[in-house]
Amino acid sequence: MTLVLLTALGVGGATVIGAIIGFVFKNITHKFSDVVLSFAAGIMLSAAVFGLIEPSFAHGENKFGLGIGLLVTVAGIFVGALCLNLTDKLVPHLHRLAGADIEAHDNRDLSKILLFVLAIAIHNLPEGIAAGVGFGSDNTGEALVIAGGIALQNIPEGMIIIGPMLAAGISKKRTLICAIGTGLVEVIGTLIGYFAVSVAEIILPFALAFAGGTMLYIISDEMIPETHHDGGRATTYSLLIGFVFMLAMDILLG
C-alpha cells in the first residue's frame, strides 16, 4: 500500500514538476515539448498493450475461459474509450482550447483558460485509474513502468498550463495551486483504481482492459495529434524509442 501511495503522489506530482519547469524555463520550445510528449506516448502505447490489455486477457481467460475472457477484454477497451469520448463531449476538447487560447493575453479569456485547466484535470482521472489498476495485476515492476510513462507525459502537461494563466493575470501562487489541483486528481484516480481491483478481484480483467482503452484513446486522440504540430519526424522516432524502451522494460522485469 505504501508503494501505491508513493506512486500515486509521483504520478500526480509530475504535473507539479512540469509546472515548476514552466515557471523556471519560460522559453522551452514547443518542438522540445512535443518530443518529450511523443516519447511518453510511446511508453504509454506499449504499456497499454503489454502491461494492461495482454494481462487483462490472461486473467480473463483464467477466470472465464477463452471466449468470455476475450469478450471481457474487448468490452473493457471500448468502454474505456467511450468514457473518454463522453468526457470530450461534456468538456471542450483539449486541442481546441490549447490551440485557440494558449496565447491569450487578457482577462476576457480567463474563463476559457480555466476551462482548459479543468479539461486537463478531468482527463487526468482515468490516467490515474490506469496507474492504480496496474498494481492489481501483481506485477509491481510492470505497474511502476506504466505509472512512470503516465507521469512522464504529465510533465509537459504541467508546463503548458503555466504560460496562459500567467498571461491572463493569475498570480503565480494561484497558478501553482491550479497545477497542484490537476495533479491531485491523478492521485485520487490512482487510489480509486487500486482499491477497486483490490476489493473486487473479479473485475480485474475488465478493469485492466478499461484502463488500457482509456490510454489508447488518450494516445490516439490527444497525444499523437498534439505532438505532430511542430515536432516533425523527431516525434515519430521519439514515440518509437518510447515504445521500444517500455517493451524492453516489460521483458526484463517480466
Side-chain angles (χ1 to χ4, degrees), residues 6 10 17 35 72 83 90 99 112 128 138 141 166 225 227 245 250:
L6 290 174
I17 292 172
V35 169
V72 168
C83 283
L90 296 176
K112 293 180 181 179
D138 294 327
L166 293 176
T227 59
F245 173 79
D250 184 68

Side-chain angles (χ1 to χ4, degrees), residues 127-146:
E127 292 177 13
I129 291 174
V133 166
F135 283 94
S137 64
D138 294 327
N139 190 330
T140 302
E142 198 168 69
L144 287 173
V145 176
I146 292 171

Side-chain angles (χ1 to χ4, degrees), residues 21-146:
I21 294 173
F23 278 122
V24 177
F25 302 101
K26 296 181 180 180
N27 296 319
I28 292 176
T29 65
H30 201 284
K31 182 175 181 178
F32 177 78
S33 177
D34 284 347
V35 169
V36 174
L37 189 61
S38 188
F39 178 77
I43 289 179
M44 289 177 66
L45 179 60
S46 186
V49 175
F50 301 112
L52 293 170
I53 295 173
E54 190 177 54
S56 164
F57 174 70
H59 284 284
E61 185 181 15
N62 288 336
K63 288 181 180 296
F64 310 116
L66 176 63
I68 301 299
L70 179 59
L71 286 175
V72 168
T73 297
V74 171
I77 292 170
F78 277 96
V79 171
L82 287 171
C83 283
L84 266 278
N85 189 205
L86 178 61
T87 301
D88 276 341
K89 291 183 181 298
L90 296 176
V91 181
H93 201 278
L94 286 176
H95 293 306
R96 290 203 300 270
L97 283 170
D101 300 319
I102 203 74
E103 297 177 356
H105 292 291
D106 57 60
N107 289 327
R108 290 176 299 175
D109 295 311
L110 179 58
S111 61
K112 293 180 181 179
I113 292 170
L114 292 178
L115 196 57
F116 170 58
V117 176
L118 176 63
I120 289 178
I122 291 174
H123 279 70
N124 278 352
L125 183 63
E127 292 177 13
I129 291 174
V133 166
F135 283 94
S137 64
D138 294 327
N139 190 330
T140 302
E142 198 168 69
L144 287 173
V145 176
I146 292 171

